[in-house]
């Protein structure tokens, strides 16, 4: 998942990721349902930023985030940030986004490349350049709990990168959308409201007893926009789904913002609704068939894409 090319070239104390689980296994466990997963599939495929929030450690934030990232389309590059050691020397737009910190210790990419040329390091395969339209910045956790986690100036720049088209995927300790906003608005991150409006999807995850986890709320944070007269337009976040603890069921409200969601990923509203229905049924079918192993589910997702995007079934886009 992460970009581990030698150009990154630095070491840091890192968290130990949990054992991967597939999105279908999480469906069968009730963490979310097939309709919410299908909606997220479309949005993540369109590289809408994604934040998974939970107050408690061990709630499953990383597990859920990793499973959802299997919805990223082929060709999208995921680059894991290096926390306090991050230099952003690989990000072309870092200076214009406000990055001023000197390089961290370690060999810069230019030095690594020169060492490769003289044979002191094995040559790396050539990789495509970092671009907003093909790159997702991965942050295992937005916090200062470990040196490998991302906070302060590093977190601020990563979220600012989402304002110019980069994808973003992260977890954070928070028990609700307002707690996410408050944590990122305060120093040392210090984001303003326009920057916070680029967070995209925010999922709030909680323990539900007896080892169960549930996405208790799924929010869509609407980006700040301007009308034809140049006036700033700010709309409040929309609720995509909530979990009803009394019935252990999810209630869905995404239909109210379908045109906005469709426009965000370059589809027409009718096409968006049709694809949510198709993907919901497809995921539910995998769950019913007991296809839960990570590699098998990844293969099934790829198989759906190869059918959905065949020449005679290509989606209509704006």
């Amino acid at each position: 998942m992460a970009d581990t090319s030698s150009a990154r070239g630095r070491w840091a104390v890192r968290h130990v990721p949990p054992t991967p689980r597939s999105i279908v296994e999480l469906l069968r466990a009730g963490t979310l349902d097939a309709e919410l997963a299908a909606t997220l599939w479309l949005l993540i495929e369109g590289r809408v930023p994604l934040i998974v929030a939970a107050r408690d450690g061990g709630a499953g934030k990383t597990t859920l985030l990793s499973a959802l990232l299997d919805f990223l389309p082929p060709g999208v590059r995921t680059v894991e940030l290096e926390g306090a050691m991050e230099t952003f020397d690989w990000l072309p737009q870092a200076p214009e986004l406000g990055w001023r910190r000197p390089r961290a210790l370690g060999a810069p990419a230019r030095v690594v490349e020169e060492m490769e040329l003289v044979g002191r390091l094995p040559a790396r395969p050539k990789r495509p350049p970092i671009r907003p339209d093909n790159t997702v910045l991965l942050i295992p956790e937005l916090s200062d709990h470990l040196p490998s986690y991302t906070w302060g100036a590093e977190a601020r720049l990563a979220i600012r990168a989402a304002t110019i088209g980069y994808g973003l995927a992260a977890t954070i300790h928070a028990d609700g959308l307002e707690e996410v906003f408050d944590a990122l608005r305060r120093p040392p991150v210090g984001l303003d409201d326009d920057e916070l409006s680029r967070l995209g999807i925010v999922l709030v995850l909680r323990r539900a007893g007896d080892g169960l986890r549930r996405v208790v709320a799924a929010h869509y944070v609407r980006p700040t926009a301007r009308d034809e007269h140049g006036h700033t337009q700010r709309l409040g976040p929309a609720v995509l789904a909530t979990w009803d603890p009394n019935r252990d069921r999810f209630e869905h409200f995404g239909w109210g913002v379908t045109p906005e969601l469709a426009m965000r990923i370059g589809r027409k509203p009718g096409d968006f609704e049709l694809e949510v229905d198709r993907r919901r049924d497809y995921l539910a079918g995998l769950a019913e068939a007991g296809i839960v192993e990570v590699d098998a589910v990844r293969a099934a997702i790829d198989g759906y894409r190869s059918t959905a995007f065949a020449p005679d079934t290509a989606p209509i886009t704006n």
Side-chain angles (χ1 to χ4, degrees), residues 9-267:
R10 295 174 291 273
W11 293 91
V13 177
R14 293 194 174 275
H15 68 293
V16 178
T19 301
R21 300 177 70 184
S22 72
I23 192 64
V24 178
E25 184 177 357
L26 296 181
L27 290 181
R28 287 170 62 96
T31 303
L32 69 172
D33 68 0
E35 183 167 348
L36 177 56
T39 303
L40 297 175
W41 182 352
L42 273 167
L43 297 175
I44 293 166
E45 188 174 80
R47 295 184 314 102
V48 175
L50 171 65
I51 308 292
V52 179
R55 176 174 294 168
D56 299 328
K61 300 185 301 296
T62 302
T63 298
L64 177 58
L65 180 69
S66 298
L68 289 170
L69 289 181
D70 285 339
F71 290 145
L72 285 172
V76 171
R77 184 176 182 178
T78 305
V79 180
E80 182 175 335
L81 302 195
E82 295 189 335
M85 294 288 289
E86 186 56 69
T87 65
F88 292 107
D89 50 6
W90 47 271
L91 186 67
Q93 301 86 359
E96 67 191 65
L97 292 172
W99 185 249
R100 299 290 182 266
R101 184 168 299 177
R103 292 178 185 272
L105 295 176
R110 181 182 66 257
V111 174
V112 172
E113 291 166 357
E114 290 172 355
M115 293 176 70
E116 290 171 349
L117 289 174
V118 299
R120 294 178 63 186
L121 285 176
R124 299 163 295 160
K126 296 298 182 183
R127 298 181 64 86
I130 294 287
R131 302 196 315 267
D133 63 350
N134 72 353
T135 307
V136 172
L137 308 187
L138 174 62
I139 302 175
E141 185 172 305
L142 284 161
S143 81
D144 59 358
H145 296 167
L146 284 177
S148 62
Y149 290 162
T150 300
W151 199 236
E154 293 82 6
R156 180 167 60 251
L157 187 129
I159 295 171
R160 283 179 177 172
T163 69
I164 61 170
Y166 282 95
L168 177 70
T171 73
I172 189 171
H173 283 281
D175 192 44
L177 182 61
E178 287 304 318
E179 288 191 15
V180 173
F181 287 161
D182 289 345
L184 297 175
R185 188 181 287 117
R186 294 194 305 266
V189 181
L191 294 172
D192 62 32
D193 288 343
D194 288 349
E195 291 165 337
L196 289 171
S197 78
R198 300 293 177 168
L199 291 182
I201 309 156
V202 177
L203 305 180
V204 181
L205 184 66
R206 290 180 191 157
R207 297 176 185 270
D210 298 326
L212 302 178
R213 279 86 169 166
R214 296 291 185 268
V215 174
V216 298
H219 303 274
Y220 173 62
V221 183
R222 291 148 146 170
T224 299
R226 295 186 182 277
D227 63 19
E228 64 272 19
H229 304 294
H231 300 140
T232 299
Q233 301 291 307
R234 291 189 177 94
L235 297 174
V239 177
L240 301 180
T242 58
W243 175 64
D244 181 348
N246 296 321
R247 298 186 298 161
D248 193 17
R249 293 182 59 182
F250 292 88
E251 298 182 3
H252 297 274
F253 310 98
W255 50 267
V257 290
T258 292
E260 295 177 50
L261 300 178
M263 182 179 295
R264 181 75 182 262
I265 63 171
R267 289 180 179 264

Side-chain angles (χ1 to χ4, degrees), residues 299-311:
I301 291 170
D302 288 341
Y304 180 89
R305 289 195 186 102
S306 66
T307 301
F309 299 128

